[in-house]
Amino acid sequence: MKFLRASDTALLAQADSLEQAVELNRAWQNIAGIRELVPGASTVLVHFDPARVTAEALMTQLESTDVSTSCDGQARHITIPVTYDGEDLASVADLLGLSEESLIQRHLAAEWTVAFSGFAPGFGYAKSSDPIFQVPRRSSPRTRVPAGAVGLAGPFTGIYPRESPGGWQLIGHTRDLLWDIHREPPALMAPGTVVRFERETRDGVVVSGAPSATHDDAAGEPTPAAVSSSSPDGNALTVISPGLQMLIQDTGRAGHAALGVSTSGAADRTAMRQANQAVGNHAQVPVIECIGAVELEYHGAPSVAVVTGAMGQMQLTATNGAHHKVSGGLPFAVDSGDRLSLGYPQRGLRYVLAVRGGIQAESALGSLATDTLAGLGPSPLKAGDHIAVGDPEAAPYAVEPLGVQRDLPAPGDTVDLAITLGPREDWFTPAALEALVGQDWEVTTRSDRVGLRLLGEVALERRVTGELPSEGAVTGAIQVPPDGQPVLFLPDHPLTGGYPIVGAVTRQDLDLAAQLPPGVRIRFTVPDPAGRQHGSNGTEHLPLNGTEPGDPR
């Protein structure tokens, strides 16, 4: 077993096989200091709390854990009906030297066990003992794969829980609902589940003797509803103009990696904490995160609001027509009928709005965070939506203006982001590693909450050109697709991926990364360039940069 550095708060344990990775993931579930585990095809990504355990101490403990005593109990068995009509069925059969019918029969005869989840909530990577199933991904991923599509990639079969891009070879589809937060477990193909496929002959899959919903009942739409189209009885914000994007966010939903659910949450957690502190809320109370020029109207009892994060022209218009300038980080009073207008940010990208009493909505898996990739949490806000706000009298703390607002970059500025190298820097040429830290990278307009798409004059050239088995990725990871132009992962990134990650932004710079608008240039720096250190037993021990305790990423 080998440990690689995945970030300053995460290790990537390289196992010998998928089976060993599954065993390690089971055995490490209750080790002190571990925040979350993300198993992959032959790895386990270990998120840890640096305030509770050092990387070196954690590696020693992980090495000494007895995996032979781990047991996951009795396996859950399900049967899923499939219509074998996929666009790639003929080409995959030809690739494997089979007829289409022979391929279908082998897929039906195999017993598949879900080893891990990733990519999207409810997407399970199931492997069988049939050696025929070793299928390369498509050379060009599709931009749209429908919900229920059954695909093959490497030794795995999987089913897309919702419409999304994807590069798996499609051989059929099912009408069964792969992900339902009202079901236990929400993921039909949860890790450890034994799956058999059958040709479509009935309406729904049978799980423990009970029929489940099908895609006809629910097509994987974002859940739950965030707001009301009619004005609520209590305090509320009404969206007049949502700008480019307006979302409800909190600290996210950590602890659900086994279901393929990432933490998500506020992109700029510093701005969220500052906003809640300024109006007297608990630090974790939900806020509104928005991009672009926006306008909202407040209704209800007199309260207090604040805007942090991005900086731009901000104004409050009272019901009598009077205009009041709003300054970032300074709480301001709001009364029923007041309108808040935020101009397009001049510095930074994301405004964060907090109201005393907190934003209220229905939660999904214990969080109000909107995960734009997974489709979890409240839907993006639109004009006419009414957002419930809590009672300002229930806020636990006094109003507390911020001292100094952060100086965020504007388009054309250059910022330094500290990174750790790894876990797959050895997949790149020395020239690529020099280019990574030796040139500026421009943030492009193709960026979103999934990640910043970067453009550099010199693309990163890979030394290893093979396909990387799916493995976990952290927020801040710098993933390099085949074109050599990196993607810097933000909160809504997929849990696992198949492109190599050359490094990761350190935790103290993640909030800054989330505030970089298109046109900003990034210079990556490596504050601790020390090479790998090897322990006496041959396991690679990697010194990690120090970090302060805080919210898990």
Side-chain angles (χ1 to χ4, degrees):
M1 184 171 54
K2 181 170 65 174
F3 289 104
L4 306 173
R5 175 166 49 188
S7 76
D8 55 347
T9 59
L11 299 169
L12 187 71
Q14 178 72 60
D16 293 331
S17 63
L18 172 63
E19 291 72 23
Q20 186 190 30
V22 171
E23 291 176 355
L24 294 175
N25 181 60
R26 291 174 179 171
W28 292 346
Q29 289 295 323
N30 298 311
I31 293 179
I34 291 180
R35 283 174 167 157
E36 195 158 34
L37 301 171
V38 182
S42 59
T43 60
V44 179
L45 181 66
V46 183
H47 292 273
F48 65 92
D49 183 352
R52 299 181 61 191
V53 64
T54 66
E56 290 75 15
L58 179 59
M59 283 187 281
T60 299
Q61 187 171 3
L62 296 177
E63 289 172 334
S64 62
T65 302
D66 182 5
V67 301
S68 63
T69 59
S70 65
C71 179
D72 214 24
Q74 186 176 359
R76 173 171 166 265
H77 290 71
I78 64 172
T79 302
I80 298 178
V82 174
T83 300
Y84 288 92
D85 59 354
E87 298 176 46
D88 303 315
L89 180 64
S91 59
V92 171
D94 185 65
L95 179 70
L96 299 180
L98 300 172
S99 67
E100 291 184 29
E101 184 58 29
S102 295
L103 172 58
I104 293 170
Q105 291 302 321
R106 295 284 284 267
H107 194 256
L108 291 169
E111 183 177 82
W112 301 84
T113 301
V114 181
F116 61 97
S117 297
F119 176 66
F123 191 100
Y125 291 73
K127 184 181 179 183
S128 79
S129 58
D130 189 337
I132 194 67
F133 291 105
Q134 191 61 244
V135 180
R137 288 177 172 83
R138 288 173 54 88
S139 58
S140 177
R142 292 181 172 89
T143 58
R144 177 185 176 276
V145 177
V150 179
L152 298 172
F156 302 108
T157 193
I159 305 176
Y160 286 78
R162 65 192 303 263
E163 183 181 308
S164 63
W168 286 41
Q169 306 276 7
L170 305 183
I171 63 170
H173 78 276
T174 181
R175 295 189 297 126
D176 290 324
L177 187 62
L178 275 295
W179 175 261
D180 181 0
I181 61 171
H182 303 296
R183 181 176 59 201
E184 182 56 41
L188 186 62
M189 293 180 63
T193 302
V194 177
V195 182
R196 281 196 177 274
F197 297 101
E198 67 176 21
R199 272 193 155 129
E200 173 69 79
T201 57
R202 54 198 172 92
D203 293 334
V205 67
V206 175
V207 183
S208 300
S212 74
T214 69
H215 282 292
D216 295 334
D217 303 316
E221 292 299 317
T223 54
V227 294
S228 171
S229 57
S230 59
S231 182
D233 296 333
N235 306 326
L237 288 166
T238 297
V239 180
I240 307 301
S241 174
L244 299 178
Q245 185 181 70
M246 183 180 289
L247 308 171
I248 296 176
Q249 294 294 347
D250 58 18
T251 54
R253 47 183 64 85
H256 299 286
L259 300 176
V261 178
S262 65
T263 299
S264 186
D268 183 350
R269 298 194 176 199
T270 296
M272 183 186 74
R273 288 192 295 267
Q274 289 178 339
N276 277 319
Q277 178 181 347
V279 296
N281 293 333
H282 286 295
Q284 299 82 12
V285 166
V287 296
I288 292 177
E289 174 185 289
C290 46
I291 298 176
V294 305
E295 187 173 7
L296 302 104
E297 184 170 297
Y298 177 76
H299 300 277
S303 190
V304 178
V306 73
V307 180
T308 60
M311 293 170 280
Q313 295 294 323
M314 299 182 286
Q315 178 178 272
L316 188 72
T317 302
T319 53
N320 62 4
H323 301 299
H324 306 279
K325 181 181 178 181
V326 172
S327 298
L330 294 180
F332 54 92
V334 291
D335 209 340
S336 193
D338 288 351
R339 284 199 175 192
L340 174 65
S341 301
L342 308 179
Y344 200 90
Q346 298 167 351
R347 307 191 71 83
L349 179 65
R350 292 178 166 87
Y351 289 115
V352 173
L353 169 66
V355 183
R356 187 170 175 84
I359 302 300
Q360 297 184 336
E362 186 182 351
S363 66
L365 296 179
S367 170
L368 271 66
T370 301
D371 186 330
T372 58
L373 178 67
L376 277 178
S379 301
L381 301 170
K382 60 186 186 300
D385 284 344
H386 302 281
I387 311 153
V389 177
D391 181 3
E393 297 297 325
Y397 306 115
V399 173
E400 183 180 342
L402 295 182
V404 179
Q405 181 82 327
R406 291 180 296 163
D407 185 19
L408 297 174
D413 290 349
T414 300
V415 300
D416 289 342
L417 293 182
I419 67 171
T420 59
L421 293 177
R424 300 298 177 185
E425 77 273 31
D426 57 343
W427 278 52
F428 296 87
T429 65
L433 297 179
E434 291 180 8
L436 175 67
V437 298
Q439 69 176 352
D440 291 348
W441 298 92
E442 184 176 349
V443 178
T444 72
T445 56
R446 296 171 55 238
S447 302
D448 53 25
R449 275 181 56 94
V450 174
L452 301 180
R453 273 67 176 178
L454 307 181
L455 179 64
E457 183 177 349
V458 178
L460 301 184
E461 181 184 9
R462 281 172 53 169
R463 183 180 64 84
V464 179
T465 57
E467 192 170 290
L468 179 69
S470 293
E471 61 187 27
V474 300
T475 301
I478 304 169
Q479 188 185 69
V480 185
D483 65 2
Q485 300 293 344
V487 179
L488 197 169
F489 280 164
L490 292 182
D492 291 355
H493 67 88
L495 268 182
T496 60
Y499 295 139
I501 292 171
V502 67
V505 174
T506 56
R507 192 176 57 82
Q508 61 263 31
D509 282 352
L510 285 176
D511 291 334
L512 174 58
Q515 288 288 2
L516 302 183
V520 165
R521 304 182 73 84
I522 296 172
R523 177 62 65 97
F524 291 122
T525 64
V526 183
D528 179 13
R532 301 176 183 274
Q533 297 178 352
H534 293 75
S536 59
N537 61 356
T539 300
E540 293 194 57
H541 285 242
L542 308 179
L544 304 189
N545 295 330
T547 183
E548 298 175 1
D551 292 325
R553 284 284 180 172

